[in-house]
Amino acid sequence: MSKTDQRYLFTSESVTEGHPDKMCDQISDAVLDAVIAHDPYGRVACEAMVKDQTVYVVGEVTTSAALDVEQLVRNTIAEIGYTDPEAGFTANGCRVYVNLTRQSHDIHIGIEAGGAGDQGLMFGYACDETSELMPFALMAAHKLCQRLTDVRRQKILNSLRPDGKAQVTVEYDGPTPVRVDTVVVSSQHSPAVTIDALREAIRECVIKPVIPAGMLDKNTKYHINPTGRFVTGGPVGDSGLTGRKIIVDTYGGAAHHGGGSFSGKDPTKVDRSASYMARYIAKNIVAAGLARRVEVQLAYAIGVAEPVSVTVDTFGTSRLQNSDLVELIRQEFQLTPRGIIRSLNLLRPIYKKTAAYGHFGRMEPEFTWERTEKVSDLLRKATPGTKAAR
């Protein structure tokens, strides 16, 4: 059904930081942060894989920093909460294998000249559905997963373990979310708790504090641990891999995705940095009231600094032509890799925090791409009668 139709359902999901894929994202970004903390110009392309009692860390790292990758891995897993042997996997008990080599000299040449670290297309998106200027379904799913972690850490629900997922289906009336149709929450748990007690606890302590009461009604459906038992979880129940939750990382399926993952990549890789810039652009456009909904695409060629294309779609919600907005973007935003890194201050160890609960829509002080400081400049340049607005 088209999103211009009057009524339709849309669904997004999220996962907790204890999900095996998200664990790998955090391990990869922990390596990146360790490099940047001591060598801001180090190059990192790091992936992790986890299964049963084994963690593999592979990729390319060129840096002057001294890294104890095994300890980084164990520290990250412990922070997530895998410390109890009864859960089947622990930070201290797992095996860690590391295979990190130096970045290819051929890629290095292009990056040092100021070009993009790879070819590719990246998307940014914003909409006025929430105060975060993000899709409602995704933000609700993220907040449910964050709440699962909070009640576990705070021992409000002692039976919960780190692995978990949430999914939210929202009913829209045109562009406006009007009610939550279905909530799905699955959490790993200890064998001591009954499924009925667990379901009641999650409904009362997780779902109700997160989903606005006005969005729930008598027809809202709840699926809490729908298969029943979820004792075996984490890497024992499922393998994990860096970059396998890219839709969770971005816009929950409400916008396009170029295909590249973010975690474990330093900001010379435009998969990451240009996606952050595209979100920064989109959010400022919506915050300025120039559109209710906007998607920005940037595309690059490896070794070339300027984007090969800039594309905007406002889905008919702007008084400006899409071509006018493209011109405005090129005037107001730095789009080369070096310009993006400089304007968003990306050479800092800020990335591990991004690796769970979404890279966008979170007002963390380090997340410079969430700032709306360009609003006044956009409004001034887009005033009727100016070149960009004609």
Side-chain angles (χ1 to χ4, degrees):
M1 183 178 289
S2 168
K3 291 185 179 180
T4 60
D5 290 338
Q6 186 174 359
R7 290 274 179 170
Y8 64 92
L9 299 177
F10 187 80
T11 302
S12 292
E13 72 157 346
S14 185
V15 299
T16 66
E17 61 200 57
H19 186 282
D21 292 332
K22 271 290 146 213
M23 186 190 310
C24 291
D25 287 343
Q26 291 164 89
I27 289 169
S28 295
D29 276 336
V31 173
L32 173 59
D33 279 354
V35 170
I36 290 182
H38 299 283
D39 179 12
Y41 297 97
R43 300 287 182 256
V44 179
C46 175
E47 287 80 42
M49 182 174 72
V50 60
K51 176 57 182 165
D52 292 331
Q53 306 299 326
T54 307
V55 182
Y56 302 89
V57 182
V58 301
E60 300 80 46
V61 174
T62 302
T63 181
S64 61
L67 300 178
D68 186 344
V69 175
E70 179 177 342
Q71 195 58 51
L72 285 171
V73 169
R74 296 190 189 281
N75 290 347
T76 300
I77 294 170
E79 290 166 9
I80 291 168
Y82 284 105
T83 57
D84 182 359
E86 289 190 1
F89 175 84
T90 65
N92 292 332
C94 65
R95 298 178 294 273
V96 180
Y97 296 99
V98 180
N99 184 4
L100 295 172
T101 61
R102 293 179 64 84
Q103 183 183 70
S104 161
H105 179 67
D106 297 342
I107 296 174
H108 177 77
I109 292 172
I111 293 173
E112 289 304 300
D118 202 352
Q119 71 177 42
L121 50 146
M122 300 83 205
F123 291 92
Y125 181 78
C127 60
D128 63 0
E129 295 177 24
T130 64
S131 60
E132 299 92 350
L133 303 186
M134 288 284 287
F136 181 89
L138 178 65
M139 293 309 299
H142 280 326
K143 290 174 182 179
L144 287 170
C145 286
Q146 181 68 70
R147 180 65 180 169
L148 279 174
T149 296
D150 290 344
V151 298
R152 171 176 60 85
R153 291 187 185 280
Q154 297 167 17
K155 301 189 183 304
I156 295 172
L157 297 181
N158 288 323
S159 60
L160 297 192
R161 286 175 173 168
D163 195 359
K165 289 180 150 184
Q167 183 172 287
V168 179
T169 300
V170 177
E171 183 175 346
Y172 283 77
D173 186 353
T176 306
V178 294
R179 60 180 291 274
V180 170
D181 181 80
T182 307
V183 180
V184 183
V185 177
S186 296
S187 179
Q188 185 187 14
H189 58 87
S190 75
V193 66
T194 67
I195 186 59
D196 289 339
L198 181 72
R199 285 171 172 163
E200 179 65 18
I202 288 177
R203 184 163 178 165
E204 293 299 317
C205 298
V206 176
I207 297 173
K208 284 188 176 181
V210 167
I211 306 295
M215 294 294 286
L216 302 171
D217 59 32
K218 64 180 182 180
N219 295 318
T220 300
K221 298 176 283 293
Y222 301 91
H223 299 292
I224 302 172
N225 279 36
T227 62
R229 181 181 170 93
F230 185 6
V231 172
T232 302
V236 178
D238 190 12
S239 61
L241 186 66
T242 297
R244 204 159 58 180
K245 287 291 178 286
I246 56 176
I247 302 303
V248 170
D249 287 339
T250 53
Y251 305 104
H256 290 95
H257 195 293
S261 67
F262 302 159
S263 290
K265 296 178 181 178
D266 73 74
T268 66
K269 279 75 171 175
V270 285
D271 276 339
R272 180 169 223 154
S273 55
S275 295
Y276 290 176
M277 176 54 76
R279 163 63 178 173
Y280 181 55
I281 294 168
K283 186 173 183 181
N284 275 270
I285 288 172
V286 173
L290 299 180
R292 291 192 61 190
R293 177 176 166 228
V294 64
E295 182 179 77
V296 176
Q297 186 205 58
L298 305 175
Y300 293 83
I302 188 168
V304 179
E306 291 290 340
V308 299
S309 67
V310 179
T311 308
V312 174
D313 189 353
T314 62
F315 310 95
T317 68
S318 177
R319 61 186 173 85
L320 301 178
Q321 296 294 318
N322 290 340
S323 58
D324 293 331
L325 283 171
V326 169
E327 183 176 347
L328 188 59
I329 289 166
R330 287 189 177 276
Q331 291 174 8
E332 293 299 318
F333 296 91
Q334 299 184 56
L335 302 180
T336 67
R338 284 180 177 174
I340 293 170
I341 289 168
R342 182 169 56 251
S343 60
L344 296 182
N345 194 15
L346 296 180
L347 294 180
R348 298 173 295 145
I350 60 173
Y351 296 103
K352 187 177 174 184
K353 187 183 282 189
T354 69
Y357 313 114
H359 293 246
F360 308 125
R362 298 163 57 198
M363 291 307 296
E364 302 287 350
E366 302 92 340
F367 291 15
T368 51
W369 50 92
E370 291 298 315
R371 299 184 311 208
T372 53
E373 61 200 358
K374 300 291 285 185
V375 165
S376 59
D377 293 335
L378 292 173
L379 287 173
R380 184 174 66 254
K381 292 289 184 67
T383 299
T386 63
K387 183 177 180 181
R390 286 201 298 269

